[in-house]
Amino acid sequence: MRKMLNTKNEPVNYALLLPVFLLILVGFIAQYGAFHADPSVESVAPLLRKQLLWTILGIVTMFATMFIPIKYLWKFTPALYGLSLFVMSLLIKFHDPIMAAATGTKRWIRIGPISFQPSEFMKLGYILMLAYIVTRRRQKSSNPSTLKEDFRLLGELSLVSLPVFALMFYQKDFGTSLVFISIFLGMVLVSGCSWKILTVGFGILGVIGVSGILLVLTERGQTILSYLHFQPYQFNRIHAWLNPFEYADSISFQQARGLTAIGSGEMLGKGLSNLQIYVPVRESDMIFTVIGEAYGFVGTCALILLFFYLIYQMLICTLNAKREFYAYITTGVIMYFLFHILENIGSNIGLLPLTGIPLPFISQGGTAYLTNFIGVGLILSMYYQKEKI
């Protein structure tokens, strides 16, 4: 085992692949439990076959990404960012009206029987573009950089971020917007900007965050936020988060049922075939409740440790990166994964409001699932390509 994980002389980073494939396996187990316990599902087999097809496509895409030389990745990053932005802008005209009516967000494009979320691919294009800007600016700037150079860098990062956040504002997808914000903040944090700028910047963000929470909790504040296109269902999520069992029959039905399911698992769980608590759309954003009910506190802790090991391996890759561009890419990917993990698990156990964020490699396959594989492929590419060019 030790020899297998020794990746120093291997072209493939097996230490990173190990938690990925273990998480895929856990995902299949959790999906089976979610579908098996859902009274509306007549047959589990077709749904698992669909998950298998997404997994095969994801693995193929992951390894295809690994083989992309850094010189081409660097050269075509602006084009990839522009293409991602263009596809996401198609939502203005071609968003799926059925999904928009059901969810209140305009984040799906439907082509025949296939629907996808352009914002998921935009996350990768955004990560690449931010990494491209930071690398190019740091190569040109003095060492250490001046405050003027740092402000110029922040200006460039903000410039490419504005159209992304404008489109996210149009989609009314607050949860995914938070992912982009976390990527932006992570990239700024490691970009080498002066601590003076970082202190002031993060202080302002803290004030805005606290003010936002206070606005949500007051009637007048909600009126102000309504002018900024915040929707009633978003306010309801805050109320459901603060008082899940008070509104258990209405706005917090899903969250209350999820908390009940996790609590009923106690220490060791009931087993996968004995799930008794009905949680709506459990195979997606609430998949963590399956682990909690089936395998209890021990099972959920094991899953969290597995995610920690995945992030740890990504950090090792970042620290060992020989090229600055790759180091910034992996930083963006880590922030993307980290936010998804913390937000999904946090919302499932009641620490955070529900925002519709899937759990990497565990939630039902789709555009977000495929994006997970591409993100890992970018990190594998860094390791594979280090001796190739």
Side-chain angles (χ1 to χ4, degrees):
M1 183 71 175
R2 184 176 180 181
K3 183 177 180 181
M4 183 185 76
L5 295 179
N6 184 6
T7 59
K8 290 183 179 179
N9 298 315
E10 296 289 341
V12 179
N13 190 335
Y14 295 108
L16 178 58
L17 284 177
L18 176 63
V20 170
F21 282 103
L22 288 176
L23 287 168
I24 292 171
L25 178 60
V26 173
F28 270 98
I29 294 172
Q31 290 294 318
Y32 171 81
F35 293 136
H36 187 267
D38 191 337
S40 65
V41 174
E42 297 180 359
S43 176
V44 175
L47 296 170
L48 290 181
R49 281 198 295 269
K50 183 179 179 181
Q51 181 77 358
L52 179 61
L53 289 175
W54 275 110
T55 302
I56 293 172
L57 177 62
I59 292 173
V60 170
T61 306
M62 178 177 67
F63 283 111
T65 304
M66 184 184 78
F67 291 120
I68 300 175
I70 187 174
K71 60 182 178 182
Y72 294 121
L73 198 60
W74 173 266
K75 181 178 180 180
F76 292 108
T77 282
L80 290 172
Y81 165 80
L83 179 62
S84 301
L85 203 60
F86 170 74
V87 174
M88 195 161 76
S89 68
L90 293 177
L91 287 164
I92 298 174
K93 188 72 175 178
F94 302 107
H95 64 268
D96 186 343
I98 297 175
M99 294 299 294
T103 64
T105 61
K106 302 175 182 179
R107 51 178 171 172
W108 282 273
I109 289 179
R110 180 172 293 278
I111 302 175
I114 301 174
S115 62
F116 67 97
Q117 298 181 53
S119 59
E120 294 298 331
F121 296 123
M122 185 73 247
K123 292 173 187 175
L124 298 175
Y126 184 64
I127 288 170
L128 288 172
M129 194 62 194
L130 294 189
Y132 178 87
I133 290 172
V134 174
T135 304
R136 187 184 59 183
R137 176 58 57 185
R138 287 310 176 201
Q139 288 174 347
K140 293 179 180 179
S141 66
S142 58
N143 192 18
S145 59
T146 63
L147 285 177
K148 182 179 179 180
E149 290 171 339
D150 287 343
F151 277 116
R152 188 173 297 172
L153 170 62
L154 291 175
E156 289 188 38
L157 294 177
S158 300
L159 190 62
V160 299
S161 299
L162 283 175
V164 176
F165 287 110
L167 288 171
M168 291 308 303
F169 183 77
Y170 171 79
Q171 293 179 43
K172 303 175 183 178
D173 187 358
F174 181 67
T176 305
S177 298
L178 293 176
V179 181
F180 284 104
I181 291 173
S182 69
I183 293 170
F184 178 86
L185 294 178
M187 203 71 73
V188 170
L189 192 62
V190 301
S191 66
C193 282
S194 169
W195 65 268
K196 297 178 182 179
I197 296 177
L198 295 178
T199 301
V200 173
F202 281 98
I204 293 173
L205 287 175
V207 171
I208 293 174
V210 172
S211 301
I213 293 174
L214 294 176
L215 286 173
V216 169
L217 296 178
T218 62
E219 185 175 343
R220 179 172 292 183
Q222 291 182 16
T223 303
I224 296 172
L225 291 174
S226 296
Y227 287 114
L228 299 176
H229 292 269
F230 278 80
Q231 301 299 309
Y233 79 90
Q234 292 172 322
F235 299 135
N236 288 340
R237 284 182 174 178
I238 299 297
H239 293 305
W241 167 53
L242 294 174
N243 304 287
F245 294 102
E246 183 178 342
Y247 303 99
D249 295 328
S250 55
I251 59 176
S252 65
F253 179 79
Q254 188 181 40
Q255 192 156 14
R257 300 290 286 185
L259 290 171
T260 303
I262 293 175
S264 69
E266 298 182 345
M267 184 61 68
L268 298 176
K270 304 173 181 177
L272 199 63
S273 60
N274 297 316
L275 301 181
Q276 300 170 333
I277 310 298
Y278 171 67
V279 181
V281 200
R282 202 172 193 180
E283 67 278 3
S284 183
D285 308 331
M286 302 297 289
I287 195 67
F288 189 75
T289 65
V290 176
I291 307 297
E293 187 176 359
Y295 300 107
F297 179 76
V298 173
T300 55
C301 286
L303 178 60
I304 291 171
L305 287 174
L306 188 55
F307 274 122
F308 272 128
Y309 182 68
L310 174 68
I311 298 298
Y312 169 75
Q313 287 299 329
M314 289 181 175
L315 285 171
I316 292 298
C317 291
T318 306
L319 295 174
N320 292 333
K322 294 184 177 181
R323 291 181 174 82
E324 200 173 3
F325 183 43
Y326 269 137
Y328 290 126
I329 290 174
T330 55
T331 297
V333 173
I334 288 171
M335 294 303 298
Y336 157 66
F337 271 90
L338 198 58
F339 184 85
H340 271 256
I341 294 166
L342 294 177
E343 168 55 31
N344 182 277
I345 295 178
S347 63
N348 274 240
I349 63 177
L351 291 179
L352 297 169
L354 286 172
T355 56
I357 297 293
L359 191 60
F361 298 115
I362 309 294
S363 293
Q364 187 180 34
T367 321
Y369 190 65
L370 185 60
T371 304
N372 296 335
F373 285 100
I374 300 174
V376 173
L378 288 171
I379 299 179
L380 289 173
S381 175
M382 176 196 72
Y383 189 87
Y384 180 80
Q385 300 292 337
K386 66 181 181 181
E387 303 296 340
K388 300 295 178 182
I389 55 174

